[in-house]
Amino acid sequence: MKFAAILCVMLGLPVHGFAQADAGAQAREAAVMLSAAATQLDKADKARDRVKALTQTIRAYELGLGAMRSGLRQATVREDQLSRQLRSRDGEVAQLLGVLQSMGGNTEPTVFFHPQGPTGTARAGMLLAELTPTLNARAAQLRTDLEDVQALRMLQQDAADQLQLGLSEVQKARVRLNRAMAERTDLPTRFTADPVRTAILISTTETLDAFAGGLSQITEGEEPLTLPPLDDRIGGLPLPVQGIVLRGANEPDAAGIIRPGIIVATRPGALVTAPTAATLRYVGPLLDYGNVVILEPRTDTLFVVAGLATVYGAAGQVIGEGTPLGLMGGISATQTDTSASTDGDGAGNAASETLYIEVRQDNIPQDPKNWFRTDKDG
């Protein structure tokens, strides 16, 4: 895949000491993921296999696009630094060129005449002999800086082209994932949600607390289920979406509203996945939270994920870790995300979507930062 190859080449390329180590490592990881996902897609003949392969594909593209944006931003900053340095040294460059030209090739006898006689001539010769290596070194550094600027400009153009390609490809993968999720019918089911009782619960509750407390009352034929243990993973669970924490638990927002969960800033169309195996307790719109998915990874523990544009699955289904829960908004199902800008990565317009995440234990809110890894980009 050309995009994967460009990731490795572009972000692994040192430009005269300008290394993009973090972005390069992410790019190489993304390239490996893309290659593996492509192999899986070629072999996938069932909806479940296609979902898994497409999930990995989208995750790889998101990681690679993030790395490419980071590398492009670093290249832009470095080019600006070098350009400013060169502009500030225009006078020095002119003087340097003048000195170097005056030293070149003049072998006429007059060079041996000095106002102070032979001694002065000898001293001047010694001074020039000492200056020559320094002048040559500074000239070499200027040449290197100029080459860096030229290389970085080429790098930026190539990166911008490939970034646009990647944005187009990831959107195609999102559309294919929508189809695969719609075709998937093999998920185990723990219970069946009663739509009438669910509607009544939604209409009669005004808070998430009340809704969460009543979830167990709207099921039919529920069976006990043992999921993988969670205790040893608390504090190290991956965030459901790639992004950064914009607001912590119990921090007031711009309107002064305080919620017990965290808000994660994400890019448009970002994929949201299950951080661990769980039962889907609720999927759909809820109160003022937008589209909501409520997961139950173990008895009396709930993960609330709110603010999605598209949601997958149905209440009662049992899903594995990494299963797609839905997509963030900002782009339609058929629109291509053309936001190739690197401005404001991690915040502002570039990360224009927000996902709300809440953890509840025995229906008491917990600080999600004690459950999830909340370092940069999940």
Side-chain angles (χ1 to χ4, degrees):
M1 301 175 73
K2 186 178 181 183
F3 183 75
I6 288 293
L7 280 174
C8 284
V9 173
M10 191 199 79
L11 292 174
L13 176 66
V15 183
H16 292 292
F18 172 57
Q20 305 173 55
D22 292 341
Q26 289 183 358
R28 284 185 288 273
E29 180 183 351
V32 171
M33 291 172 63
L34 275 172
S35 178
T39 301
Q40 288 183 357
L41 274 174
D42 289 341
K43 297 179 179 179
D45 55 358
K46 297 181 180 178
R48 171 182 288 188
D49 297 331
R50 289 195 298 275
V51 166
K52 185 176 180 181
L54 287 167
T55 299
Q56 184 173 353
T57 299
I58 294 172
R59 278 294 195 200
Y61 269 114
E62 289 180 343
L63 180 63
L65 290 171
M68 189 170 283
R69 286 188 180 98
S70 176
L72 184 54
R73 186 171 60 251
Q74 291 177 44
T76 302
V77 170
R78 180 58 176 157
E79 184 202 353
D80 184 60
Q81 290 174 343
L82 288 173
S83 297
R84 279 187 279 120
Q85 288 175 14
L86 290 172
R87 284 195 298 269
S88 68
R89 293 162 67 182
D90 281 346
E92 178 186 341
V93 172
Q95 292 178 2
L96 177 60
L97 290 174
V99 172
L100 290 176
Q101 287 174 355
S102 68
M103 293 171 58
N106 189 353
T107 58
E108 296 179 7
T110 53
V111 300
F112 295 102
F113 292 107
H114 191 275
Q116 297 180 5
T119 302
T121 301
R123 288 176 180 168
M126 293 172 63
L127 179 60
L128 284 175
E130 291 178 359
L131 284 175
T132 298
T134 301
L135 292 172
N136 286 335
R138 296 178 80 172
Q141 183 60 52
L142 286 170
R143 283 195 298 271
T144 298
D145 288 349
L146 286 169
E147 290 171 1
D148 276 359
V149 170
Q150 294 169 353
L152 286 168
R153 284 176 180 166
M154 293 177 60
L155 187 69
Q156 286 173 271
Q157 183 57 54
D158 197 18
D161 293 343
Q162 294 308 315
L163 182 58
Q164 202 61 49
L165 171 64
L167 290 168
S168 175
E169 291 299 319
V170 73
Q171 184 58 14
K172 291 178 184 177
R174 291 178 186 131
V175 174
R176 294 178 67 184
L177 178 63
N178 284 337
R179 296 197 197 103
M181 290 300 292
E183 295 170 357
R184 185 173 180 178
T185 58
D186 57 352
L187 284 173
T189 301
R190 181 179 171 189
F191 62 84
T192 301
D194 185 325
V196 175
R197 292 162 70 186
T198 301
I200 292 173
L201 179 62
I202 293 174
S203 64
T204 56
T205 56
E206 298 180 354
T207 66
L208 185 57
D209 285 16
F211 184 81
L215 276 178
S216 60
Q217 303 170 15
I218 61 174
T219 64
E220 293 182 351
E222 184 163 353
E223 299 178 0
L225 178 69
T226 301
L227 292 172
L230 191 64
D231 287 341
D232 59 347
R233 301 191 63 198
I234 294 176
L237 290 169
L239 283 172
V241 69
Q242 185 179 17
I244 61 172
V245 176
L246 189 64
R247 187 171 295 110
N250 300 312
E251 293 181 7
D253 61 16
I257 299 174
I258 296 176
R259 298 186 191 273
I262 61 174
I263 294 179
V264 179
T266 80
R267 287 189 171 274
L271 178 66
V272 183
T273 58
T276 185
T279 301
L280 293 177
R281 276 289 170 183
Y282 178 78
V283 179
L286 179 64
L287 304 174
D288 61 343
Y289 289 87
N291 278 327
V292 174
V293 178
I294 300 181
L295 306 169
E296 185 183 54
R298 67 181 183 189
T299 303
D300 298 325
T301 299
L302 298 176
F303 294 160
V304 180
V305 182
L308 298 88
T310 302
V311 288
Y312 303 133
Q317 292 178 335
V318 180
I319 60 174
E321 179 178 347
T323 298
L325 301 178
L327 298 171
M328 299 302 295
I331 54 175
S332 70
T334 57
Q335 175 187 4
T336 298
D337 176 9
T338 58
S339 175
S341 171
T342 62
D343 295 339
D345 273 22
N349 294 331
S352 58
E353 303 304 304
T354 54
L355 185 72
Y356 177 73
I357 303 171
E358 190 171 306
V359 177
R360 308 182 72 85
Q361 180 71 46
D362 297 320
N363 208 27
I364 299 174
Q366 311 290 310
D367 189 343
K369 286 188 176 181
N370 295 330
W371 290 69
F372 296 97
R373 296 194 312 268
T374 55
D375 52 314
K376 181 173 173 58
D377 292 332

